């Protein structure tokens, strides 16, 4: 078929067929050596003409994606292409996919403003306590400086975490706790332990964007549960659990990311009931716990560890440069999780654990957090006022924390605003990076601690106009 | 069928059928909801009688592993059990499985002796430089203390690594380097990027035991290549590559673990030829590089980055408590690897990277390594002499490094010796934990830096007698 004789529509059809086959190879639903449908079968399947199918296959043969074997058809070539998580699942607009905010925030040059990022500026962190901890550790025993950590991680820190959790009504002994390098690594280890490709996992819609990225890496089937100002929509949760037979539900209980809401006790109870009836496991990601001023219910406190796994980290309130997270779970799962941790990372970072322990024991950490609560509360007020003056209104007013989940003026697309602002050196967090259903295009998450600079609002105003 | 009427053989058959079905569920080749073979089909498949099959299914129904649906057969129950990597692949004797040495070494009480572990005692490590680095960092900028690392990791360390690799003839710019939390995490990320469950991976036989554990976690099909005193057996490598169509080969080029051998240039060249002809990728794990006194060839230096990925870490020569490793690879793979790193761990440990950079730049590190070479060379001589007096002889005498791969006296089983010695507080490394073919039962790896204490040899002598 000669290119010149093709209509523009034919071109689109050929591209569509080629892109679909490439995406299936990238997502590994088509593997090297797999036979592709015949011309006639492929044409029927794609709803295109035989000649479009011939042309698509010819081009894929030409670029080496597939090969033809005389008399026996078309086959996927050589080895699988390396995994591209951005290509697993529905095709994404890279500008607003789940990686957008992470890459932009982590890659940001020092002079950039980051109201879209998920952490505090350095001068809001307990740096004096960290400096003291570093000096203390510089005088500690040789083993602390050079040795591997034990499989579950530093015992003294696990004991301290056990006591901290008890303050939330969560009863986990030190032997039920495994230290990890971060909250994300904690969820990753648990996904390795609990799910296999194709398993269904429930997440909140909206939720922390990296849950989506992580679950894509595990090739999970992701289902979003609508999130309300008092927690997940309980009826939708029950319906989706019954229909999809999910294995896992991943959520934040205290200070939900991105909405800033806290779970109501009644919602928590009803969700737990559905969890038990449907043989589900819940990963409760509690990394914002220390920002709370009045504690909200925890699933692990209500339901125990039979079906609830509690995880946390110190990246938000202590340091993101010192990596340390943890998993609290039922005793009979600890050994399997530790085996996986050793196989895939050999050992945790003992020095990081010692640092975190040293800071948490430092009397000034508690005072630092109290000051932080007050400072965040002021920033929350100021940021709300300034955003309202631009016609940007919070969907709810959180009790505490760092996030404001806001609605933009009618008709304004958050993704476009974010792209415009980036040109001016401001990283924003457009709603759809948090939304599996892509239903948050008019919403945006603001980190009130990163909104102190006037330029944020000037550039935001300009970005909404263009 | 009444239990009392069963012969001992029948019991064994029932157990075998049950164990096989359980192992398939654990390894997820049978999934929840999957239909099991009919009684008759199962009996044929297992080569047992119908009544044995009925009894095996009845017992699996009784303990909830499977369920029967009237008129339609037997099905795998509920959700998949959590992943047990120890149960993937052939059934292992836990006492000598790939996790044995890791768990024993990492869990060892301080008073235990560890000639079987893979690292140096704390007083052999550059602790003075680490203490200086900690004090330096305690005075550094707030951002270093609290911020996330950029996606690829600290630029200044990547620049230094680029220059270090150039010293081995490996040309990787800083933008071709991704920092990780360890050498193990580097390989884990690469397995996520490059292989899928069921892909075949070649490893050396013997090789570092955690390669096996890691590949089990990825559900790879693992094939061992016999290892000779000058590198992998090139003919076996070519034959296995042709038969099994592997995707990856994971190896150490300089100072192979556990044998201590160095790759010969001719072997390296012939392996690379096979690699190119068979569309293979090589992960070259170079974590023992700094122990070399005269450098051996590197695959990445000979073959470039088209098919070779070079990884390293600082756990062995600098600190295992400060976790830091790296991947050097082709530029077009960096983005996909960084996406996976963010999705599964969000960020690397910037503080660890700053610490490693600070120590590597410290003028005393090079002097420390020179002293270490001399000290290890003496320990190698002394340990060989003492082992020989017990009838334990090195298979080869390495040029450098920390390992001696030794043959025990005829008829002595290393696994039994290791189990006996553990009772007396000594962790040994029996040969078969390194051998996928389980053909090293008369061999044992000794870490010469952990053999300074006389008790090691006393207990070893006793453990060989009982």
């Amino acid at each position: 078929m000669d290119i010149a004789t093709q209509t523009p529509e034919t071109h689109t059809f050929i591209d569509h067929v080629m892109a679909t086959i490439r995406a299936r190879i990238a997502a590994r639903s088509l593997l090297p050596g797999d036979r592709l449908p015949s011309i006639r079968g492929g044409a029927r399947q794609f709803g295109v003409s035989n000649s479009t199918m011939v042309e698509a296959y010819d081009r894929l043969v030409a670029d080496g994606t597939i090969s033809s074997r005389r008399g026996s058809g078309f086959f996927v070539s050589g080895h699988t292409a390396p995994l591209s998580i951005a290509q697993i699942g529905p095709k994404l607009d890279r500008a607003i996919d789940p990686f957008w905010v992470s890459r932009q925030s982590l890659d940001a040059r020092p002079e950039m403003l980051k109201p879209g990022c998920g952490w505090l500026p350095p001068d809001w962190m307990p740096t004096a306590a960290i400096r003291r901890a570093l000096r203390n550790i510089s005088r500690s025993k040789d083993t602390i400086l050079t040795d591997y950590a034990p499989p579950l991680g530093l015992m003294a820190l696990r004991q301290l975490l056990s006591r901290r959790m008890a303050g939330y009504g969560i009863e986990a002994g030190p032997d039920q706790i495994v230290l990890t390098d971060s909250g994300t690594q904690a969820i990753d280890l648990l996904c390795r332990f609990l799910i296999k490709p194709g398993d269904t996992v429930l997440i909140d819609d909206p939720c922390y964007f990296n849950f989506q990225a992580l679950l894509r890496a595990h090739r999970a089937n992701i289902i979003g549960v609508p999130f309300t100002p008092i927690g997940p929509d309980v009826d939708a949760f029950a319906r989706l659990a019954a229909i999809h037979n999910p294995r896992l539900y991943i959520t934040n209980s205290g200070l939900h990311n991105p909405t800033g809401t806290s779970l109501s006790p009644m919602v928590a109870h009803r969700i737990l009931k559905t969890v038990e009836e449907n043989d589900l496991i819940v990963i409760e990601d509690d990394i914002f716990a220390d920002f709370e001023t009045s504690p909200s219910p925890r699933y692990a406190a209500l339901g125990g560890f039979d079906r609830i796994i509690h995880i946390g980290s110190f990246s938000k309130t202590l340091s993101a440069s010192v990596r340390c997270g943890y998993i609290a779970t039922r005793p009979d799962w600890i050994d399997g999780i530790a085996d996986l941790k050793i196989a895939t990372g050999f050992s945790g970072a003992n020095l990081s654990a010692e640092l975190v322990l040293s800071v948490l024991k430092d009397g000034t950490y508690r005072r630092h957090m109290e000051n932080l609560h007050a400072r965040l509360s002021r920033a929350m007020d100021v940021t709300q006022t300034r955003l309202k003056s631009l016609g940007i209104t919070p969907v709810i007013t959180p009790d505490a924390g760092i996030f404001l989940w806001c609605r933009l003026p009618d008709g304004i697309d958050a993704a476009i605003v974010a792209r415009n602002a980036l040109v001016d050196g401001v990283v924003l967090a457009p709603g759809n990076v948090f939304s599996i259903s892509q239903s948050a295009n008019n919403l945006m998450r603001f980190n009130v601690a990163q909104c102190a600079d006037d330029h944020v609002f000037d550039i935001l105003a300009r970005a909404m106009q263009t």
Side-chain angles (χ1 to χ4, degrees), chain A:
Chain A
M1 185 175 187
D2 184 45
I3 277 232
T5 68
Q6 292 166 10
T7 64
E9 287 72 23
T10 326
H11 271 297
T12 314
F13 290 150
I14 295 168
D15 288 345
H16 169 70
V17 171
M18 291 174 69
T20 306
I21 291 171
R22 283 215 181 88
R24 284 181 192 163
I25 294 171
R28 298 174 186 184
S29 65
L30 276 174
L31 299 177
D34 277 0
R35 184 201 298 269
L36 291 159
S38 67
I39 297 292
R40 197 183 292 251
R44 206 165 40 234
Q45 191 182 314
F46 284 101
V48 297
S49 69
N50 287 358
S51 63
T52 296
M53 205 63 211
V54 168
E55 181 65 22
Y57 276 179
D58 279 355
R59 292 193 200 172
L60 289 169
V61 169
D63 72 10
T65 306
I66 66 173
S67 58
S68 88
R69 293 187 208 148
R70 189 172 303 278
S72 59
F74 294 88
F75 296 83
V76 178
S77 300
H79 283 295
T80 323
L83 176 64
S84 165
I85 29 181
Q87 280 180 46
I88 293 181
K91 183 97 185 78
L92 298 163
D93 175 358
R94 181 79 207 194
I96 49 155
D97 78 11
F99 298 96
W100 194 88
V101 177
S102 356
R103 291 301 285 264
Q104 294 304 337
S105 307
L106 294 171
D107 256 338
R109 296 180 306 278
E111 71 276 15
M112 290 176 81
L113 300 167
K114 297 181 286 190
C117 87
W119 55 89
L120 298 178
D123 61 335
W124 291 56
M125 300 294 269
T127 48
I130 297 171
R131 291 178 200 284
R132 252 193 315 277
L134 283 163
R135 288 196 299 272
N136 285 342
I137 289 173
S138 78
R139 292 185 293 265
S140 63
K141 286 190 301 184
D142 284 357
T143 48
I144 290 176
L145 301 177
T146 67
D147 246 359
Y148 287 97
L152 306 189
L154 183 64
M155 180 49 128
L157 181 55
R158 289 187 284 124
Q159 286 167 334
L160 186 145
L161 291 173
S162 169
R163 291 193 298 275
R164 276 169 61 101
M165 280 187 256
Y168 292 96
I170 300 170
E171 302 201 16
D175 290 341
Q176 282 176 262
I177 300 171
V178 183
L179 299 188
T180 63
D181 288 339
S182 64
T184 306
Q185 201 216 4
I187 303 177
D188 183 48
L189 267 178
L190 291 167
C191 285
R192 290 182 125 148
F193 185 60
L194 294 168
I195 65 168
K196 53 177 196 324
D199 275 356
T200 296
V201 178
L202 300 181
I203 55 174
D204 300 317
D205 186 355
C207 74
Y208 173 42
F209 48 79
N210 208 50
F211 289 169
Q212 263 195 71
L214 176 61
L215 290 170
R216 277 171 177 254
H218 285 274
R219 296 148 214 245
N221 175 33
I222 312 171
I223 304 280
V225 179
F227 204 76
T228 79
I230 51 167
D233 179 322
V234 289
D235 295 326
F237 188 89
R239 196 175 57 248
L240 293 166
I243 297 172
H244 295 287
N245 189 26
R247 170 65 162 158
L248 263 186
Y249 169 49
I250 306 181
T251 190
N252 311 117
S253 39
L255 298 178
H256 178 259
N257 181 1
T259 63
T261 53
S262 294
L263 189 63
S264 94
M266 197 180 290
V267 168
H269 173 71
R270 288 197 51 195
I271 292 291
L272 272 184
K273 231 177 123 219
T274 305
V275 160
E276 280 156 20
E277 284 163 7
N278 290 272
D279 193 17
L280 255 155
I281 294 163
V282 180
I283 299 177
E284 168 171 62
D285 175 2
D286 203 21
I287 63 168
F288 293 101
D290 279 358
F291 287 118
E292 277 188 332
T293 44
S294 60
S296 50
R298 259 66 185 175
Y299 289 114
L302 292 172
F305 283 112
D306 264 9
R307 314 193 154 275
I308 315 298
I309 305 171
H310 192 79
I311 72 144
S313 91
F314 303 93
S315 304
K316 305 302 179 187
T317 53
L318 197 158
S319 166
S321 182
V322 180
R323 308 297 288 153
C324 187
Y326 59 90
I327 295 169
T329 185
R330 46 198 274 186
D332 57 327
W333 284 358
I334 290 289
D335 236 25
I337 294 169
D339 272 355
L340 271 171
K341 179 181 161 184
I342 291 171
T344 61
F346 201 64
S347 166
N350 215 34
L351 202 85
S352 303
E354 292 278 358
L355 258 166
V356 166
L357 176 66
S358 182
V359 174
L360 291 179
K361 286 194 321 195
D362 188 314
T364 64
Y365 178 73
R366 178 188 292 267
R367 206 159 57 238
H368 164 81
M369 283 311 302
E370 280 163 13
N371 292 338
L372 200 58
H373 290 158
R375 193 173 175 187
L376 278 169
S377 169
R378 285 193 301 274
M380 189 71 83
D381 289 344
V382 173
T383 307
Q384 282 196 67
T385 307
R386 300 204 63 170
L387 288 172
K388 279 180 187 158
S389 74
L390 298 176
I392 301 172
T393 51
V395 175
I396 67 144
T397 302
D399 295 333
I402 63 176
F403 295 131
L404 269 178
W405 180 239
C406 296
R407 190 171 299 287
L408 303 184
D410 279 351
I412 291 192
D413 183 327
I416 294 170
V417 175
R419 250 175 270 161
N420 291 343
L422 190 62
V423 177
D424 287 331
V426 172
V427 178
L428 295 172
N432 275 346
V433 304
F434 304 94
S435 171
I436 181 89
S437 65
Q438 298 286 290
S439 57
N441 65 320
N442 189 226
L443 295 158
M444 194 168 265
R445 185 191 74 179
F446 290 92
N447 175 344
V448 300
Q450 298 275 5
C451 286
D453 192 313
D454 287 344
H455 287 98
V456 166
F457 302 94
D458 298 344
I459 290 167
L460 187 56
R462 191 158 64 215
M464 289 199 300
Q465 277 157 14
T466 43

